[in-house]
Amino acid sequence: MSNSGMKQRLHDDMTAALKARDEIRKSTLRMALTAVTKAEVAGKEARELSDAEILDVLGSEAKKRRESVIAYRDAGRAELADKEQAEADILAEYLPEQLTAEEIAVLVTETIAATGAADLGPRGIGKVMGALQPKVKGKADGGAVSAEVKRQLGA
């Protein structure tokens, strides 16, 4: 099959969900595996994704689900929002623990101090975001991090 531990885990969990007749988990994991396969064949030549790349794919799928939940709730479609939320919860089991707003604020404060961007004000946003990205990748929503950086730099 594959030498990727994460892909194998997804496949094994989908098989278990199939046997347990857990429809939502089965369909969510099937969708996740399809997204991984799509990412593998995208580009000039097919390749196998690393576990980190698979986490990126799962993260973007989870983000799509979170955005859909908001859109469905705003449109008054609670049953669809609940389904999307259930899928997002299943995907979250495979992702690293997300940072809290307080943890993001502390990281931003430390990074602003380390980069010396406090003197630059709003012009330092790019510098801070560039330094923060590796620290928060997969652990926090980029929009939340960006908003905190802008808040602290007074933009």
Side-chain angles (χ1 to χ4, degrees):
M1 157 106 204
S2 121
N3 63 9
S4 165
M6 179 58 79
K7 190 171 178 182
Q8 188 62 48
R9 179 179 166 209
L10 287 168
H11 194 273
D12 292 346
D13 290 353
M14 187 187 72
T15 304
L18 192 68
K19 290 177 182 173
R21 301 189 191 284
D22 184 344
E23 286 301 315
I24 188 76
R25 181 170 287 278
K26 178 191 76 173
S27 67
T28 302
L29 294 177
R30 185 171 280 158
M31 170 275 309
L33 282 165
T34 301
V36 169
T37 303
K38 255 180 149 169
E40 287 178 333
V41 297
K44 292 189 171 152
E45 64 181 62
R47 64 190 183 81
E48 187 139 334
L49 297 181
S50 68
D51 282 355
E53 292 168 317
I54 290 173
L55 284 175
D56 288 345
V57 171
L58 294 179
S60 77
E61 290 298 320
K63 182 178 181 188
K64 287 178 195 174
R65 298 303 170 291
R66 290 190 302 269
E67 290 170 350
S68 294
V69 168
I70 294 166
Y72 284 137
R73 292 224 191 283
D74 290 348
R77 302 290 309 267
E79 71 286 349
L80 292 173
D82 292 343
K83 179 182 180 289
E84 294 287 328
Q85 185 62 55
E87 290 180 1
D89 292 344
I90 290 168
L91 291 172
E93 295 172 19
Y94 297 90
L95 297 171
E97 192 68 37
Q98 296 294 299
L99 296 173
T100 64
E102 295 79 29
E103 290 170 325
I104 292 171
V106 168
L107 270 174
V108 169
T109 303
E110 291 171 356
T111 307
I112 288 173
T115 59
D119 304 333
L120 298 173
R123 291 189 324 243
I125 292 173
K127 190 174 190 179
V128 174
M129 287 300 291
L132 265 176
Q133 236 18 63
K135 296 177 186 173
V136 299
K137 186 171 174 78
K139 297 182 198 164
D141 178 47
V145 174
S146 177
E148 181 61 24
V149 169
K150 288 176 183 171
R151 186 187 72 72
Q152 290 194 26
L153 287 177

